[in-house]
Amino acid sequence: MAISVYILKNSIVKSSVKEYLQMKEEVKIKKKLARQQAREEATPINIEELKMKKDLRTVFVSDSDTAEQALSLAGISYEGEVKLEDIEFCKVEAQQKCLCGTLHIPKLSDPVGPKIMMYFFVNRKNIVIIDDEGFGEKVIRRIIASRTKPGQSREKFLYNFCVKFMDQDLVNLGRYGHKIMQIEEDINNGELEEVTEKIAQLRKELLILREYYDELHDFGKQLEENENRFFSGKNLEYYGIISDRADRLMGRTMYLLDYIVQIRETYQGKVAEQQNKNMEFLTIISTIFFPLTLITGWYGMNFNNMPELANGYPGVIVLSLVVIGIIIFIFKKRKIF
């Protein structure tokens, strides 16, 4: 993957590395001419204005293969090794010369499956985004397509970047809510097949999302702390918004997890009710056949002095029917039937 270069202006301007280097050289020449002109005119040099003119706030997007080149172009010195496969959390690490962040994003279509793993690095001028799936590039395209102005600051760009990959999460959680309601409806209709598997799968996915939103909440707080003073204080409120949004998503996820617990209890109640009905049926059958078993056992002994030994068969049948009738009458009177 070639390195993509985005210049932060009122809207993102994309260029190649070659164009970026040319622009950087032009800015350097303009700076030199401005200093020379100021000396010739014997006018004081406005350092702050000169800084604003010379700054090229840039976002470099690369993959693992071109990561070192992108960091070099951005003037970022990272004290570590860039290994996307080692990313396990969303976090921010402050170093002396840069800010390093990692993103470990579950795919909304399959939270349990492989995650999207990204690095981003920030110094006082530039941002470098490293990922092997082209996700960072897609997010930036979505920012451009939505006509969202990323602003001239790194703070506003990072804010828009994070908000853009979080913008479908609430809709996704809404889909989880509909799935849980459908399971509840199936349970109430007595359709209990595969309910346990469905509940277990949804709970697993929501636990992964809850952990992810918790990490994002801390991620926003860490950016807001601005430990290295890389960000302008007036723009730190953007990161508070990221933290608040992650907190709301986590709250929604917690609500869905509680809902799943209630559905599971409803399911267990339905199963227990079904088992009770089965046991009640077996008890009724046992109650009916117990006296019949006693009668057949009694008359099956075949003693010589039994008066019914010769012609007792019809009598036993009548007695059995009478006993069954009495039992059914008692059951109906007590509303067991």
Side-chain angles (χ1 to χ4, degrees):
M1 170 184 171
I3 298 174
S4 298
V5 183
Y6 293 89
I7 310 299
L8 296 182
K9 294 183 180 178
N10 291 333
S11 59
I12 298 178
V13 179
K14 185 178 180 180
S15 67
S16 65
V17 172
K18 184 178 179 181
E19 290 171 333
Y20 166 73
L21 292 174
Q22 288 176 348
M23 292 172 66
K24 193 174 179 181
E25 187 62 30
E26 288 173 6
V27 169
K28 188 177 180 181
I29 292 171
K30 287 180 182 178
K31 173 193 168 186
K32 186 176 180 181
L33 289 174
R35 288 183 180 277
Q36 185 177 349
Q37 184 179 358
R39 286 195 210 95
E40 289 174 356
E41 295 176 359
T43 56
I45 299 174
N46 189 329
I47 300 297
E48 293 300 322
E49 185 179 346
L50 205 58
K51 279 185 177 181
M52 292 298 293
K53 287 181 179 178
K54 78 172 183 178
D55 281 348
L56 267 180
R57 295 176 178 83
T58 312
V59 178
F60 299 88
V61 183
S62 72
D63 59 13
S64 299
D65 296 333
T66 55
E68 290 188 12
Q69 183 185 357
L71 290 171
S72 177
L73 286 169
I76 293 175
S77 175
Y78 174 56
E79 300 171 3
E81 191 174 356
V82 177
K83 285 187 177 181
L84 288 169
E85 62 274 13
D86 291 345
I87 296 176
E88 296 180 353
F89 308 100
C90 298
K91 64 177 183 178
V92 177
E93 176 189 356
Q95 295 194 358
Q96 187 174 359
K97 296 182 180 179
C98 74
L99 194 70
C100 171
T102 58
L103 290 168
H104 193 253
I105 306 172
K107 295 178 181 177
L108 298 184
S109 58
D110 183 20
V112 181
K115 309 298 187 291
I116 298 168
M117 293 174 285
M118 302 171 60
Y119 276 101
F120 74 87
F121 299 89
V122 183
N123 64 4
R124 299 190 183 278
K125 293 183 184 178
N126 303 316
I127 298 173
V128 175
I129 296 172
I130 300 170
D131 78 289
D132 287 340
E133 298 185 32
F135 181 76
E137 190 85 17
K138 290 177 185 176
V139 173
I140 295 175
R141 286 191 195 132
R142 283 168 57 192
I143 294 173
I144 298 171
S146 64
R147 298 183 179 179
T148 302
K149 292 185 178 181
Q152 296 183 345
S153 67
R154 296 156 302 142
E155 297 91 341
K156 187 67 182 291
F157 173 81
L158 283 175
Y159 163 75
N160 278 293
F161 187 83
C162 293
V163 166
K164 190 56 68 175
F165 70 70
M166 293 167 63
D167 61 358
Q168 293 299 314
D169 288 61
L170 191 58
V171 175
N172 183 58
L173 291 176
R175 287 194 287 265
Y176 277 101
H178 290 307
K179 289 179 182 178
I180 298 171
M181 284 190 285
Q182 183 60 52
I183 293 174
E184 183 179 26
E185 187 176 340
D186 291 342
I187 292 172
N188 291 332
N189 292 334
E191 300 173 11
L192 305 179
E193 293 183 7
E194 299 182 356
V195 168
T196 305
E197 293 80 1
K198 291 177 183 177
I199 289 176
Q201 181 65 23
L202 287 176
R203 185 172 182 274
K204 185 176 182 181
E205 292 178 6
L206 286 170
L207 284 172
I208 290 172
L209 290 175
R210 185 190 66 177
E211 184 178 356
Y212 163 61
Y213 296 135
D214 189 25
E215 291 172 10
L216 271 185
H217 177 263
D218 291 340
F219 176 88
K221 288 294 184 185
Q222 288 172 323
L223 287 174
E224 194 175 12
E225 287 173 3
N226 195 21
E227 184 176 342
N228 286 14
R229 300 292 182 268
F230 281 160
F231 303 122
S232 171
K234 63 181 181 181
N235 291 326
L236 291 178
E237 62 183 16
Y238 291 130
Y239 302 135
I241 296 173
I242 293 173
S243 183
D244 291 342
R245 179 169 294 194
D247 189 53
R248 289 196 297 272
L249 289 170
M250 185 171 62
R252 176 68 177 172
T253 309
M254 291 292 293
Y255 163 76
L256 291 173
L257 284 169
D258 290 341
Y259 191 8
I260 282 184
V261 171
Q262 294 174 13
I263 296 301
R264 185 169 58 183
E265 290 174 354
T266 303
Y267 167 72
Q268 290 171 344
K270 281 286 183 181
V271 171
E273 182 182 343
Q274 188 66 42
Q275 290 175 340
N276 288 338
K277 287 182 179 179
N278 294 336
M279 292 300 296
E280 182 180 349
F281 176 75
L282 292 173
T283 301
I284 291 172
I285 297 298
S286 300
T287 304
I288 291 173
F289 280 93
F290 176 74
L292 300 181
T293 304
L294 178 63
I295 292 170
T296 55
W298 191 1
Y299 281 95
M301 290 186 286
N302 299 325
F303 293 137
N304 290 328
N305 296 327
M306 289 183 67
E308 300 88 351
L309 187 61
N311 300 309
Y313 191 73
V316 171
I317 294 175
V318 171
L319 178 61
S320 299
L321 291 174
V322 170
V323 170
I324 292 173
I326 293 171
I327 293 172
I328 291 174
F329 174 76
I330 294 172
F331 281 169
K332 283 189 174 182
K333 189 174 182 180
R334 296 187 178 184
K335 297 182 180 180
I336 296 176
F337 270 165

